[in-house]
Amino acid sequence: MYPFIRMAHGIWKARKAPKLGPFGTYVSQHRCWPWDIDMWMELNNGRTLTLYDLGRIPLAQVTGLIGMIRKERWGLTMAGVVVRYRRRIRTFERFEMRSRMLCWDARFIYIEQSMWKQNGECANHAVYRSAVTDRNGIVPTERVVAAMGLAETPSPEMPDWVAKWLEAEDMRPWPPMQDAA
């Protein structure tokens, strides 16, 4: 089940958090609960992606993106993600989530997130390709940035490793090929 109560709590906490600039890092504290684990008693990989919402939505709130999206009657969607898992997060273990906007291109905003164990080790790292949408589809990021009052703010340069991920995505067939039954 989706963590609605945890999300509501995270949004409530973010209301009182200091506002961040467009590239600020939003830091939040979490715990791995029994309903987050798999049969190996560690944070489930799919649940990790769901829990990243608990950092991304408050990040959008403290940077002003959520308010602008509501005002414009736009939506926010995820268009892709790449994840690297390196350390286990066990049941009841506390962890810190760090979320920030990396950069943007003509269509997408790239968001970097990571979960850090109490001992300072990074447990996992994700980069999301997100888009702002309206009833006609994807809203160009130029319009999104202007609506946020950042028209004069250039995007940071896209990291090479993100650009390589996008190159690989462009080579990936869509729809996926399927073997005949």
Side-chain angles (χ1 to χ4, degrees):
M1 185 170 157
Y2 192 81
F4 291 107
I5 294 171
R6 288 160 89 176
M7 177 60 78
H9 182 254
I11 291 170
W12 181 77
K13 282 179 72 173
R15 287 181 332 143
K16 297 180 181 193
K19 298 300 177 205
L20 290 177
F23 308 108
T25 300
Y26 183 76
V27 178
S28 53
Q29 305 299 320
H30 305 273
R31 184 183 297 271
C32 179
W33 293 107
W35 42 87
D36 297 329
I37 63 172
D38 58 22
M39 59 184 170
W40 289 277
M41 307 302 281
E42 64 189 40
L43 180 59
N44 175 276
N45 63 311
R47 188 61 163 191
T48 298
L49 297 179
T50 300
L51 293 182
Y52 271 136
D53 283 357
L54 303 179
R56 234 181 4 266
I57 301 302
L59 170 69
Q61 185 174 347
V62 298
T63 59
L65 181 62
I66 293 291
M68 182 276 302
I69 285 175
R70 286 186 178 139
K71 179 181 172 198
E72 297 290 336
R73 296 180 167 213
W74 290 342
L76 187 61
T77 190
M78 295 298 115
V81 63
V82 61
V83 186
R84 178 178 282 179
Y85 299 96
R86 288 295 180 262
R87 298 287 178 260
R88 294 179 172 141
I89 296 177
R90 304 277 185 184
T91 313
F92 300 114
E93 191 173 349
R94 290 181 180 271
F95 60 93
E96 179 177 276
M97 188 183 306
R98 301 176 191 168
S99 307
R100 71 183 183 119
M101 180 170 53
L102 270 179
C103 58
W104 62 78
D105 61 22
R107 297 180 67 203
F108 301 107
I109 298 169
Y110 299 91
I111 300 167
E112 179 180 38
Q113 294 188 276
S114 54
M115 292 181 184
W116 295 80
K117 296 167 66 74
Q118 294 292 301
N119 65 5
E121 289 184 302
C122 184
N124 54 64
H125 177 251
V127 174
Y128 282 87
R129 178 166 58 179
S130 65
V132 174
T133 60
D134 65 13
R135 65 177 176 247
N136 300 312
I138 294 176
V139 176
T141 52
E142 183 177 302
R143 281 184 62 202
V144 174
V145 171
M148 288 184 69
L150 301 170
E152 302 300 316
T153 304
S155 171
E157 188 172 328
M158 181 178 286
D160 287 342
W161 59 271
V162 174
K164 296 290 184 191
W165 166 53
L166 298 176
E167 284 177 30
E169 280 291 300
D170 287 344
M171 293 173 48
R172 188 174 170 182
W174 191 262
M177 293 185 279
Q178 296 182 7
D179 293 334

